[in-house]
Amino acid sequence: GDLQELVVPPADEPASSPLPLPLPRKPSDRVAHRKALEESFAIAHSIVQANSRVAFHHARCCVAGLGIVIGLRVSAGCTGISPGAVLVGIHWLASTSDALCVASALPFCAQGTTGCCVSLGCIGPMLTLIFSMCIADVGALAGYLAIATPRPLTAGQRSLETVLQAMFGAWELLLFSSVALQIGLCVCCWRIYRELRLAGLYPPGQIPLGEPLGGYVSSFELVCEAGDAQVWSERCRGGDFMLCPDVEEGETVIAMPTLPDAPLVKAPAPEGDTSAQPSSSCEPLVKQLRLPA
């Protein structure tokens, strides 16, 4: 009897429940993501087209004007009108810069912001080329003004018309027109480029935000890429420090690289101290930390 009390008989095993059926996997939401991305690109392109419509119109007019200037130079050369042996190099430089500006800006002006010029990342090099040719054309004009002399006139040719013709011939007027049109084209292309950057459409490969950023596009991007321009903007005064123009005396701003839409990091200001307000011109570009003098 005692042995039976020590040995406990096994209990009945619970009934096994069947395993739950595997739930069917939901289809991929790739179509919805693609639709949202296409809508974001469409919104960004519509914003850029609305903000740069006037700049595009002026850029196309400048390209057409440069084409007319090139045609008039060819016509003047074919009819025997020569700028002279001294000034032929200056006009050759101006003619070459006009041709390069037309060749580089014509595809972009024809395709707009939705063409392959933007998707392939050609806008930055195009802007740098136009800016360089504009500087070369201004240099050619400066050289002309430095060395050019009016054509000598006889005693009986002193009317206003003959004097103006002696001072400014066909090639000289074309040179002035070339400089004006190239400066206008450079300004228009910079405005379009800035709108593309603010909308997130350039450089290619990033997701546009669908609305323009309130950021700052550095003028260094005229001669280098966006990332390099940001570094140079922050280090243009040496080291990792940048003193903003509107910083009050006795304050130091430590600039750290960040994205344009990143929040600002500010040191807490003492009570009653209103000097630690953020700098207006440097807010979109850098995180700021103000230190007491």
Side-chain angles (χ1 to χ4, degrees), residues 3-284:
L3 182 61
Q4 290 181 354
E5 293 178 357
L6 295 174
V7 177
V8 179
D12 297 335
E13 294 182 0
S16 61
S17 58
L19 296 175
L21 296 176
L23 297 176
R25 299 182 61 183
K26 295 183 179 180
S28 175
D29 204 15
R30 187 176 301 174
V31 177
H33 287 296
R34 181 176 180 179
K35 183 178 179 180
L37 184 62
E38 290 177 353
E39 290 178 354
S40 180
F41 270 100
I43 294 173
H45 280 293
S46 63
I47 291 174
V48 173
Q49 290 174 1
N51 294 338
S52 61
R53 183 180 293 111
V54 177
F56 258 114
H57 178 69
H58 292 169
R60 293 186 178 106
C61 292
C62 290
V63 170
L66 288 174
I68 294 175
V69 169
I70 294 174
L72 290 176
R73 282 198 177 106
V74 174
S75 177
C78 294
T79 55
I81 302 176
S82 175
V86 179
L87 302 175
V88 65
I90 292 176
H91 291 288
W92 178 85
L93 177 60
S95 303
T96 305
S97 63
D98 290 345
L100 289 176
C101 285
V102 172
S104 60
L106 185 59
F108 178 57
C109 292
Q111 296 175 357
T113 59
T114 58
C116 61
C117 293
V118 177
S119 59
L120 296 179
C122 301
I123 306 301
M126 178 205 72
L127 182 62
T128 302
L129 178 62
I130 293 176
F131 179 68
S132 303
M133 293 300 101
C134 183
I135 293 178
D137 212 16
V138 172
L141 178 61
Y144 163 76
L145 295 176
I147 65 176
T149 55
R151 188 175 68 249
L153 299 175
T154 59
Q157 297 178 341
R158 292 298 179 180
S159 64
L160 179 61
E161 181 181 358
T162 55
V163 171
L164 291 177
Q165 289 180 356
M167 295 178 61
F168 303 105
W171 287 90
E172 287 75 15
L173 294 178
L174 291 175
L175 179 60
F176 282 102
S177 302
S178 170
V179 173
L181 291 171
Q182 283 197 29
I183 292 176
L185 179 61
C186 184
V187 172
C188 293
C189 290
W190 167 251
R191 291 176 178 174
I192 299 171
Y193 174 84
R194 184 177 57 188
E195 294 296 334
L196 289 171
R197 288 274 288 110
L198 294 178
L201 293 175
Y202 194 88
Q206 58 183 352
I207 299 177
L209 300 180
E211 58 182 9
L213 296 173
Y216 170 74
V217 182
S218 173
S219 56
F220 281 106
E221 296 186 25
L222 284 168
V223 293
C224 58
E225 293 296 332
D228 299 332
Q230 184 176 0
V231 174
W232 280 105
S233 297
E234 296 169 356
R235 301 183 178 181
C236 60
R237 301 207 178 187
D240 293 332
F241 297 89
M242 180 178 68
L243 299 179
C244 300
D246 53 352
V247 174
E248 297 180 1
E249 185 178 359
E251 293 180 344
T252 303
V253 176
I254 299 179
M256 295 173 288
T258 181
L259 295 176
D261 57 342
L264 298 177
V265 178
K266 309 181 187 68
E271 295 183 0
D273 185 11
T274 59
S275 62
Q277 298 295 329
S279 173
S280 59
S281 63
C282 301
E283 278 184 357

